[in-house]
Amino acid sequence: MEKIDYNSPAFLKNFLESRGLSMQKKFGQNFLVNGDARKKLIDALDISENSTVWEVGPGLGCMTDEILKRGAKITAFEIDRGFSEILQELFGKNSSFSLVQGDVLKTWLSEKEAKGVPDRFFSNLPYNIAATVIADMISHDVRFDKCVVTVQKEVAQRITAPCGSEDYSSFSVLCQWAYNVTPLADLGGGNFWPRPNVDSRSVLMVKRNDFPRCEDPALFMKLLRAMFLQRRKTLKNNLSGFAPLAGRVDQVLSEADIDPSVRAERLSLEEMLHLCDCCSRILKN
């Protein structure tokens, strides 16, 4: 196969047409055609010859190629059959490359059960599934030493949002519970082909060593969903519908020293973890 020019939209367009392929909007396909940006993101992933990497949505392999050049072993998850065939042609003979074809939301868990959790996670995540992929993995207690994800800017703002901000949500808390999160780079539409109608942001997520910092992580995730169930409601009102605390919401909030009239978006991660431990003790008793 001819060498692919990952920096040239014209080349990529012609290459796909020569294979009878096209970009599919339903899969959120946009190739990062800025070579300097690609290098910066891979540098942030901090991989070595001993690293193992999951990559979601490799497309035609511009990032895959760079990761393999650095000596890492990579498992790529690709939903597009045409792209999967090209990836196999490009990298299939490399023993450090393996491909999982299909919807990552339906395949990642079985891959994890078969081969374990890798060191690194990398993706230019399709905008329509970005938050779901990240949240699902954390909810299944799957955390990577380092993740570099490029997502729609609004999703990135939710990942890194501080307590009390407009973007602070249960998703923010979930991400910051599992990882230390840092914005890496903003990428305007011109960095991609086809050019998306939204801006993107790359985020570095580094595994927290103090995880989970609560007595019952499963209860914390359920409690988190309940606290943010209706954003405009008070914490007491939202928790009143949380079945495990039926009739004991006032007692829990009092023990946790939390104002019942506060909204969840005003509670820090530490306050939520403390609340969860109070819940856990009361439920055990």
Side-chain angles (χ1 to χ4, degrees), residues 160-169 172-173 176 228 231 262-272:
T160 60
C163 169
S165 68
E166 183 179 352
D167 295 311
Y168 191 62
S169 65
S172 312
V173 177
Q176 294 169 35
F228 282 92
R231 189 177 180 90
V262 76
R263 291 173 178 157
E265 65 201 60
R266 296 295 171 184
L267 292 185
S268 67
L269 171 60
E270 289 70 24
E271 289 173 312
M272 292 183 188

Side-chain angles (χ1 to χ4, degrees), residues 238-252 279 282-283:
N238 274 335
L239 290 182
S240 294
F242 185 49
L245 291 182
R248 287 180 278 190
V249 174
D250 287 332
Q251 179 187 359
V252 169
C279 290
I282 287 173
L283 291 175

Side-chain angles (χ1 to χ4, degrees), residues 1-22:
M1 179 187 294
E2 63 181 314
K3 183 176 176 60
I4 296 178
D5 184 350
Y6 293 117
N7 297 328
S8 170
F11 178 92
L12 294 170
K13 182 176 184 294
N14 291 333
F15 175 79
L16 291 176
E17 289 176 351
S18 72
R19 302 289 295 249
L21 300 173
S22 61

Side-chain angles (χ1 to χ4, degrees), residues 5-271:
D5 184 350
Y6 293 117
N7 297 328
S8 170
F11 178 92
L12 294 170
K13 182 176 184 294
N14 291 333
F15 175 79
L16 291 176
E17 289 176 351
S18 72
R19 302 289 295 249
L21 300 173
S22 61
M23 304 294 275
Q24 299 193 56
K25 190 173 182 179
K26 66 178 180 179
F27 294 150
Q29 293 170 338
N30 304 93
F31 297 153
L32 182 56
V33 293
N34 182 330
D36 290 338
R38 293 199 303 270
K39 184 179 184 302
K40 179 178 180 178
L41 298 184
I42 299 298
D43 285 346
L45 195 60
D46 187 28
I47 53 177
S48 66
E49 291 186 6
N50 297 319
S51 299
T52 52
V53 183
W54 276 4
E55 181 187 10
V56 174
L60 298 181
C62 62
M63 296 294 196
T64 314
D65 184 56
E66 182 65 28
I67 292 171
L68 287 170
K69 284 178 179 177
R70 301 192 187 199
K73 296 183 183 297
I74 185 168
T75 298
F77 296 81
E78 178 54 59
I79 194 171
D80 189 296
R81 290 186 179 274
F83 290 178
S84 294
E85 291 176 2
I86 293 171
L87 290 167
Q88 284 286 31
E89 290 180 41
L90 288 169
F91 311 115
K93 294 180 180 179
N94 189 328
S95 61
S96 294
F97 172 82
S98 64
L99 178 68
V100 179
Q101 204 276 319
D103 185 346
V104 66
L105 292 172
K106 299 176 181 178
T107 59
W108 78 264
L109 190 55
S110 59
E111 182 68 16
K112 173 256 180 183
E113 290 172 350
K115 299 180 181 179
V117 180
D119 308 319
R120 303 288 192 267
F121 180 87
F122 184 86
S123 184
N124 174 13
L125 279 166
Y127 297 147
N128 58 336
I129 67 164
T132 303
V133 169
I134 296 169
D136 276 2
M137 290 181 176
I138 296 173
S139 298
H140 282 86
D141 195 23
V142 171
R143 297 184 305 137
F144 310 88
D145 290 344
K146 288 186 179 179
C147 309
V148 173
V149 296
T150 301
V151 293
Q152 186 173 340
K153 189 173 182 179
E154 286 75 9
V155 176
Q157 288 171 329
R158 288 172 59 201
I159 292 174
T160 60
C163 169
S165 68
E166 183 179 352
D167 295 311
Y168 191 62
S169 65
S170 60
F171 181 58
S172 312
V173 177
L174 190 67
C175 292
Q176 294 169 35
W177 176 46
Y179 294 97
N180 291 308
V181 297
T182 309
L184 272 179
D186 284 353
L187 297 167
N191 290 281
F192 299 90
W193 179 82
R195 181 175 185 142
N197 296 322
V198 296
D199 289 337
S200 300
R201 176 175 289 175
S202 300
V203 178
L204 173 65
M205 306 172 70
V206 179
K207 184 164 67 174
R208 295 187 67 134
N209 293 325
D210 57 1
F211 182 86
R213 290 189 293 154
C214 64
E215 296 174 8
D216 190 340
L219 176 63
F220 179 70
M221 286 185 283
K222 294 175 183 176
L223 188 68
L224 185 58
R225 287 192 290 270
M227 287 190 290
F228 282 92
L229 187 62
Q230 296 188 54
R231 189 177 180 90
R232 305 311 300 170
K233 282 194 172 184
T234 66
L235 193 62
K236 179 179 178 178
N237 283 340
N238 274 335
L239 290 182
S240 294
F242 185 49
L245 291 182
R248 287 180 278 190
V249 174
D250 287 332
Q251 179 187 359
V252 169
L253 292 175
S254 176
E255 183 165 325
D257 194 25
I258 292 176
D259 182 350
S261 66
V262 76
R263 291 173 178 157
E265 65 201 60
R266 296 295 171 184
L267 292 185
S268 67
L269 171 60
E270 289 70 24
E271 289 173 312

